[in-house]
Amino acid sequence: LLHKDPVFILDGAHNGHGVNACVDSLISLFASKKIVYILGMLNDKDRDKMLEKLYINAKSFIILTPSSSRALTGRVLAETISKRGFTSKNCASTKEAIAWAFREASEDGIICTLGSLYLAGEVKACMESVSL
């Protein structure tokens, strides 16, 4: 838990099993609330399987390209998500992504970042350096 209002959860889910567990937990904890996801993935992951699960309770997606040579570009991921009818914002920096997520979620919303451990580290470091 990185923040309380809105709730901001950092999850290490970076494969299909992890995403399934994360989404199931979010549904259990927050019932029908829609989630603003900050998402980045590596190119060698099963993105379609992961996205199908995230679509279940997604409000919108804020996309980042993880700092890895294996990263799926944010542009490609955002386009994939947009084709399914979801709002998808590709951001150039972690700070920009967090700012977008807070605007999208509002005070009573839920933000969850997942998809890559590289991304998790970047988001955690950025949140520690920002006073909210």
Side-chain angles (χ1 to χ4, degrees):
L1 182 65
L2 299 178
H3 198 265
K4 289 186 180 182
D5 294 312
V7 171
F8 192 150
I9 297 168
L10 175 75
D11 194 284
H14 61 280
N15 58 35
H17 294 294
V19 169
N20 283 339
C22 179
V23 171
D24 290 347
S25 293
L26 290 169
I27 290 169
S28 174
L29 292 168
F30 302 109
S32 61
K33 280 203 171 196
K34 295 296 184 181
I35 311 298
V36 175
Y37 285 107
I38 298 177
L39 181 65
M41 294 182 181
L42 299 184
N43 203 31
D44 56 359
K45 300 296 178 176
D46 186 354
R47 93 181 92 161
D48 293 332
K49 181 178 180 181
M50 293 167 68
L51 290 173
E52 283 302 319
K53 187 68 174 190
L54 293 170
Y55 294 147
I56 293 170
N57 67 343
K59 176 180 180 183
S60 60
F61 293 87
I62 313 300
I63 307 300
L64 285 166
T65 302
S67 296
S68 169
S69 61
R70 296 172 26 229
L72 176 64
T73 66
R75 181 188 54 78
V76 169
L77 185 54
E79 288 173 2
T80 300
I81 291 167
S82 294
K83 287 178 184 175
R84 288 295 300 267
F86 287 90
T87 300
S88 177
K89 169 72 175 156
N90 184 28
C91 293
S93 72
T94 305
K95 185 175 180 179
E96 177 190 10
I98 291 170
W100 271 98
F102 272 83
R103 283 193 293 273
E104 279 284 311
S106 68
E107 283 188 26
D108 66 338
I110 312 295
I111 300 167
C112 180
T113 194
L114 75 164
S116 164
L117 293 175
Y118 294 96
L119 182 68
E122 293 170 17
V123 169
K124 186 174 188 295
C126 189
M127 285 295 290
E128 288 172 351
S129 70
V130 175
S131 61
L132 299 169

